[in-house]
Structure formats: C-alpha cells, structure tokens
Amino acid sequence: MNFKKPRTKAFHWDVVGTDKIAKSFWKQESTGRIEIDTSRLFEQFAIKDMGTFCASEPSTTQHIMLNQKIAHNFNIFLKSFPVLPGELKDKLFVINEDDGGLSDGHITSLRRYVPTLDDVEMYKSHKGPVTELHIVDQYMMEMCNIPCLSTQLDLLLTLRELPIGMKDLQPLINQKIRMCTQLNNCRSFVSVLEYLLTVGNYLNENARKEKAKGFRLSSLTKLSQLRGNDRKFTLLHALVEQIMLLEPSLAAFTEDLAEFETVPGASIKGLTAEVDVLKNEMQKVIQYEKTFKKRNAGGQHPQFYKDLKMAIEKYKTGLSALTKTRDEMKKLYSVILVKFGEPADQDSQELFGLICQFVHDFRGAHAEMI
C-alpha cells in the first residue's frame, strides 16, 4: 500500500506584483518573526488520504467501469466525502448528523448517484479484488450491495426536512391568523369602507348611475385612478378629506391593521397545501417504520429503530399542532370572505395585497393633507 506525505489544501493568493512590493509594507518581510500553530492548521486543512483504503493511489489513466460523465462528477464529490466505502452502510442507519450521520448535502448528493439496475448487474458480474478498482467503482460496488439504498436516503432526508418544514410554516400560518384576526376585529376599517361607499354612491348618483349596496375590496385599487378637476386630487384624497372633516379618529384605522404594513408572502391556499405535503411525507415515514419492523426480525440496528420511533412521535405531535393552527387559519379566512362579501375561492395573497396597498396609499394621502 502506498503512503505519501500528508498534504494540506492550498490557498490561492491574489499576489502583489513584484513591481509593487517595494512600495508596500510587504517589503519589510515581517512574516519571518511570526510563529504559527502548524499542528492546528494541519488539523483543519489536511487533505483526506484516500490511500488508507485503496491498494494504490489511482492514476488518471486507471479504468473506470461507471459511465464516464457520471464517474467524473461522482469522483469530484468523493474527494470531499469523509466516509470510507465500508462505512457507508452503517452511516445510513444514523438519523442525526450530530450523532455521526451523513450531512444533508451528502445525502442529497448520494441520491444522484444511486446505482441503476444496469449498474448493479455490471458490478455484480465483476471478478477480482475490489481494492484494485478505482475509488469511484469501489463506492459504486458498495452502494450496489446496500438493500433499498434509495429508500434509506429518502428517509434520512425526509427526517431532516420535516422539522425544518414545520418550523418554517408555523410563523407564516401564525401571521395569517393575526392578519385575519385584525381584519375581522377592525371596526374602523369597516367604517372607512362605508364612507367610501357613501362617497362613491354620491358621485354615481349624480352621474345618473345606480347606487351600490356594497363593493368588492378589489375596488380599492381604483381610488387613485379617478381624478378631480385638480389632477392631483383623487377619489382617495376625497375619502381622506371626508373622514378628516367628519370623523377624524377613523384615519387611525391603519394602526389597527399593523400586520398589513408589508405585502404578504405565501397564500393561505399555498400554506394549506404545504402542510398537506408534510403530512404525506410523515405517512411515508410511518409506513417505512412498519416495513422496517417486519423485515428486521433479527433486531439489527436497534439504536436506529429507537431513534426512528422517537422522531416519529415527536414529529406527529408537531404536525398535529401545525394542522390545528392551519385549520384555524382556514376558518378565520372563511369568516373574512363572508364578512366582506368576497367569493369563497378568493386568493388570500391577492386580497391581503389589496388591503396592504390601500393602507399604504391611505397613509400617504393622509400625510399630504394634514
């Protein structure tokens, strides 16, 4: 077995030109008096010695059985993959990275190189010592011998992504609940809409058009389009003016809609779908656990099974709480749609966006007139 002097990763300098050295502080050559901890540097930047498990360091001309393009990319990945071929199978039964499991990035990359049926057939027909193969083929040979490799990688990634998904969705759902609650409780906003209906009906009546009994919130976007004789004075300004004259306290309604300061992101429909995706992924994990228990009668990987059951219970609890708040969000939004006479399929992102824009525009017009 060939052993070479351990090497470290190189740092590629942006070098100062020799013509400029004399004019810079580098001319002092002060680095000669600096002492460094080389052992610490080596610990952090040493290059993994692949020769510890290869019969010899593979040459650039060594034959590779795997498809050339795939082998090239896989070889690049393996140069930074800190797991020996013989260690891979055990790593697949460690759920958490902190416990010695694979990183999320490594799992994602390995999924791209799962052997095909043709690969499995090719490697199983190989005769001769595995150690004589290129490192790429050694890994592929090992992966071919791992049952349900793709399923195991998918499971690990799902177990990592589930808590992240729940953590990301919870604040978004909570925000939508707050938006619905503020909108439902804001009596002053309703009064502003009533003022707008009165103003609009007055104009339409004098234009010999029918009076409206109510209007869709999408009408709020049109207030700045109707201009008075003074082209800078719009219907929005007229609304603000009437409120300031007759009921100035209503102008503060925007303070009761603090959640509408910024345009909302994901829609309620989208958030609902994302929770359903997490629930479907959870069901796959539960099904995996049942299947694993049946085929693992010998009791292999007991710690993995214990950790899996703990993760399932923990995520089921979290997902149940998330589903509960999701249902609360949907219910509150339905109340909003009914209250403001909007259709049941009205997209929340669009509706809340209209209100956000109105709040912004109202404040702007109000600031111009005080």
Side-chain angles (χ1 to χ4, degrees), residues 132-169:
E132 293 181 358
L133 294 174
H134 190 283
I135 185 59
V136 166
D137 291 323
Q138 290 186 46
Y139 264 98
M140 290 302 293
M141 181 76 80
E142 181 66 27
M143 291 166 75
C144 287
N145 292 324
I146 298 176
C148 306
L149 173 62
S150 183
T151 301
Q152 195 69 20
L153 290 170
D154 287 345
L155 171 77
L156 291 177
L157 203 57
T158 298
L159 289 172
R160 305 282 182 84
E161 291 175 345
L162 270 172
I164 296 173
M166 289 189 285
K167 184 179 178 181
D168 289 345
L169 286 176

Side-chain angles (χ1 to χ4, degrees), residues 351-366:
L351 185 68
F352 290 166
L354 294 172
I355 298 171
C356 284
Q357 190 61 50
F358 177 67
V359 167
H360 177 269
D361 293 346
F362 188 95
R363 278 182 169 168
H366 184 260

Side-chain angles (χ1 to χ4, degrees), residues 244-255:
M244 290 173 68
L245 286 171
L246 301 169
E247 203 170 346
S249 62
L250 282 184
F253 83 93
T254 56
E255 297 175 7

